[in-house]
Every structure is written in C-alpha cells, then in structure tokens.
Amino acid sequence: MHGHRPRTPEVDRSRRWFMNTALLTGGVAAVATMTGCSSDASDTATASSSSGAPNGAPSGGPGGGMPTGAMPSGGPGGGGNGMGPGQSEVKYADFKGVTTDGTLTDGLYSIHSTDVSTDGIVKAAQAFLDGLSAKERKSCTFDVDNDEWLAWSNVDGYQREGVRMGDITATKRNLGYALLGAALSADGLTRTRNIMKLNAFLGDYSGGNRDTLTEGAYFFTFMGTPSTTKPWGFQYEGHHVAINFFVLGDQVVMTPTFMGSEPTSATYKGEKITLFEPETKAGLTLLRSLTAAQRAKVISGTKKSGDDMKAGAGQDNAKLAYQGLVAKDFTSAQKQNLLDLVRVYVGNMNDGHAEVKMTEVEAHLDATCFAWMGETKDSSAFYYRVHSPVVLIEYDAQSPLAYGTKGGMGGPNGTPTQQHIHTIIRTPNGGDYGVDLLKLHLDNDH
C-alpha cells in the first residue's frame, strides 16, 4: 500500500457537503432531449430510456464581477456538468464506464504494444516525485486502483487531495510541468496552462483573495508507481481542468479529460489568451458540411439550456443513448471532418499516443454518432456530441456564472455564451482511467 493521506470520512463528508450545497444553491438546469441516431431515445445525466442502435449499427453499439458568496465558476448546473462526485460517487470497484444502457460492449480493448515509448513520461513522473519532500510525496500517492481516480471535479471550491502546485517551490512546479509536457502535446500543454491563467484572471476579475482562483490551485495525484512495465497513472486537477492519465507498458489512456474556462478569452498579465477556437470551429465545419437533410437529423433544436453536458464529473457510470446521425452514410469528406473534430480533443495527448487513439477511433468511425443542440452561427452558444463505442466527446457553451454578464459576449439572465465553455472526452465501455486495461492485465498477467 502507498503511504498516502487516506480518504477519511471527514474528507468524504466535506465533498458531499460541497455537492449538496451546490445543488441547493444553483438548482438543476433543464436537460434537453436529442434524438436521431437512436430513434425514440432520450437521455439524462445517468440514464437513457432507449439503447436502440441506428440503422446498420451492431447490437449494443451506436447506430459584472462575482458577488460575494456567489457560486464558483464551472458549477453548479444540471445533469453531468462536472460539479463533482458527491453522495453518489462511484467507487473504483463499481466502475463500469459510460454505456448506452448499462451493458458493456466487450472486446473493444486489448493489451498490446503500440511501439510508442512511455519512457519519457515515466522518467518525468519519477523526477517530479523524487523532487518532493517525504510529506508531499505521501500526500499524493495512492494505489493504482484507488477510488481517488474517480473523485475529481471541475469546480474551483471542491476539496482535493494531492500536491497543490501553489504550495511547492518553483523548481518542483517546473518538474510537474515537465511531466505534463511529456504526457501532453505542445497544444495540450498550452491549453492546460492557459486554462490555469484564465482561472487566475477570473480571480482578479472577481476581486482577488480567492486561493482557488489562481494559477496555483491545481493538484497532482499519482496512482501506482511510475513504471515502464507495471500499471500506474497520474491525475492533474483543478478548476476547469482534470486530466486522468493511465499508463500500462507503452499503452496510454488519457480519459476522462475535462477542459473548460470562464472566460474563454481575456488578457492576463499582458498576454491575450483565447481558448476553444479549434473545438468551436471544427464542430461548425463538420455541421456545415452536412446536407440539409442530414442536419435535420443532427440538430435537435435551436435552443439549449445553460448546461447540457451529460458525462462530466460524477457521471462515470452514465447511461447515454446514441443520438443524432451515425457516420456510416457520411461522405468521405464528411468523415474526414468528423475525424478532424475528434483529433482536436485526442490531440491534447502527446503526438505518438494520439495517433494510436485515432486509429482506434477510425476503426469505429462508421458507428460514430454526431449530435447538435443550439444555433449554428460562428458566435452561437451550442452543444455537440461525438459518440462511438470507443470515444465520447461533449462540447457545451454554458450560461455565465461569474464573467461577462454585463454585455459583450456574456449572456444576461443565464443565456449561454461562448465565454463559458465546458468540454470532455471519455473512453466508453470501461475504458476510462484505464480500468479495462488494468483488469485485463490482472486477469492475464498475474
């Protein structure tokens, strides 16, 4: 067993208190229904009323500033917006992953060589851990199958475990950034750091004196021991970002990964930062490449609620029906646009392992569904979802909670805006956190 600070009942109660308070204060947003890829289907954050597959798909598969006391940016809201686990937190032993109806699709993942080395990631992780004090190291190390994997949130006020970046020296922080640099692509690292910077911008905008709205309010935890042969992983988490990174040999799983921001564009310390332009543009490009008849099946309505994300934090076992239009009958150009959209999200991972994941996505491309909610202008607030047996992506332009409510892009009276965006990528059917790979490893190698 690792010498970590245990998840005590007091800590768990604190997290549950936060969730209950968030729900009571913020209310629950309406959950919109999208249909098309799966006929007569409706979904909520945790259940779907239909698991029917689209035509041609296999059975089981898809056919003014912040006032004092205001809720933190990033939550709460309805459905699976990523507030955090709360009382219904899934335990690791009970993890199943996102499914259409609670039934796993078997045979999707396997232990194999990717020919993409993880040596650099292992060395960077070990260097970071070696640079910590014994107390710091104890606070952030857990067993590889610990419940802490699932205990993440995108909300700033959530109580987290691990080593806080703002509490360690600059030298140690740089070792942490080196680990992120090894695990992520250049774009992924830049995106992560910019989320952190805009979190600090929001803190300044809100009057300061909030230690959760800073660049330092991000935490590392490690599950297992860095190794080139044995399973391990790490989690990097804070307001509007949660990266779960599992390693087994030369295989990598970097899901769930949540990235968001409020605002998404601002100037911080003289640097103009704009986030989620690639995600926004790629979604619009795919949508606009569809015919009118296809768009009629993809778009469920021109209105969206303030929060439509279904598979955020605390929704690890969500049942989510396939929706929208299946890519089986897309043209070659439309399929390429779909792959380009997925690549924006997968591309947050280091380039070699991103290519491995894209090969997996492409193998299930014909069974991939695309759904949309909201208007379709460049500046519109909209929601879209990409969903197949091996990938789930959600993009959600949400209502402003702390920024831009007095004009500009910010929407008054809770109107969604591109100045508050949440995104997530998951690996359905037990793939998140590398759970399925770990099970295969334990069943076959031990």
Side-chain angles (χ1 to χ4, degrees), residues 129 131-141 162-164 167-169 172 220:
L129 287 169
L132 300 177
S133 68
K135 182 178 179 181
E136 290 165 341
R137 195 160 51 248
K138 181 179 179 180
S139 74
C140 71
T141 53
V163 170
R164 184 178 182 274
D167 294 339
I168 57 179
T169 66
K172 295 175 183 180
F220 269 111

Side-chain angles (χ1 to χ4, degrees), residues 128 163-168 173 176-177 215-216 218-220 236:
F128 177 71
V163 170
R164 184 178 182 274
M165 292 290 269
D167 294 339
I168 57 179
R173 278 197 301 275
Y177 290 137
E215 288 189 69
Y218 294 84
F219 295 72
F220 269 111
Y236 187 71

Side-chain angles (χ1 to χ4, degrees), residues 4 32 67 104 109 129 134 137 228 251 274 283 312 316 352 373 412 442 444:
H4 64 271
L104 289 168
Y109 313 113
L129 287 169
R137 195 160 51 248
T228 57
Q251 289 183 265
T274 300
D316 287 300
M373 185 190 308
L442 295 175
N444 298 319

Side-chain angles (χ1 to χ4, degrees), residues 353-376:
H353 289 105
E355 289 305 316
V356 173
K357 179 62 179 181
M358 287 304 301
T359 299
E360 181 180 82
V361 170
E362 192 164 5
H364 296 271
L365 188 62
D366 282 352
T368 303
C369 291
F370 179 58
W372 186 282
M373 185 190 308
E375 297 182 353
T376 61

Side-chain angles (χ1 to χ4, degrees), residues 179-190:
L179 170 55
L180 290 177
L184 306 180
S185 65
D187 286 345
L189 179 60
T190 297

Side-chain angles (χ1 to χ4, degrees), residues 116 121 182-185 245 252 254 347-355:
V116 180
I121 301 170
L184 306 180
S185 65
F245 200 96
V252 163
M254 201 178 95
N348 284 316
M349 185 164 42
N350 69 79
D351 296 343
H353 289 105
E355 289 305 316

Side-chain angles (χ1 to χ4, degrees), residues 148-231:
E148 190 62 28
W149 271 121
L150 285 69
W152 61 269
S153 170
N154 67 281
V155 175
D156 69 329
Y158 188 68
Q159 183 173 340
R160 295 174 166 89
E161 299 291 319
V163 170
R164 184 178 182 274
M165 292 290 269
D167 294 339
I168 57 179
T169 66
T171 298
K172 295 175 183 180
R173 278 197 301 275
N174 287 335
L175 289 172
Y177 290 137
L179 170 55
L180 290 177
L184 306 180
S185 65
D187 286 345
L189 179 60
T190 297
R191 191 168 285 119
T192 301
R193 291 291 287 115
N194 282 344
I195 291 171
M196 296 167 63
K197 292 174 183 178
L198 289 187
N199 185 51
F201 171 89
L202 184 63
D204 294 342
Y205 175 88
S206 304
N209 300 317
R210 301 241 343 241
D211 62 4
T212 59
L213 297 179
T214 68
E215 288 189 69
Y218 294 84
F219 295 72
F220 269 111
T221 53
F222 292 81
M223 286 61 159
T225 301
S227 169
T228 57
T229 57
K230 296 180 181 180

